[in-house]
């Protein structure tokens, strides 16, 4: 079972950004583009995304 914030079990019925109604199959809001996820980020999630973004930008230089 997937534990990331992209998993369907963390998807809501309303966009947290603009409050547009969403379906469980919608990965992103069709109105504003916000990720459809209500999972709270842990420190480990933050750490992985932070350093992942640094190394992905660095590899493009």
């Amino acid at each position: 079972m997937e534990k990331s914030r992209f998993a369907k079990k963390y998807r809501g019925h309303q966009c947290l950004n603009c409050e547009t109604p969403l379906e469980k199959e919608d990965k992103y809001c069709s109105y504003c583009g916000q990720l459809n996820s209500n999972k709270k980020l842990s420190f480990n999630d933050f750490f992985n995304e932070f350093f992942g973004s640094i190394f992905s930008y660095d590899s493009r230089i």
Side-chain angles (χ1 to χ4, degrees), residues 33-53:
Q34 175 75 25
L35 177 66
N36 182 10
S37 178
N38 56 14
K39 181 181 188 254
K40 303 287 185 196
L41 291 178
S42 67
F43 180 73
N44 191 32
D45 294 331
F46 175 77
F47 183 79
N48 288 337
E49 288 197 24
F50 178 75
F51 284 105
S53 65

Side-chain angles (χ1 to χ4, degrees), residues 14-20 29 31-34:
Q14 185 177 4
C15 178
L16 297 176
N17 190 37
C18 67
E19 300 181 355
T20 302
C29 175
Y31 185 74
C32 69
Q34 175 75 25

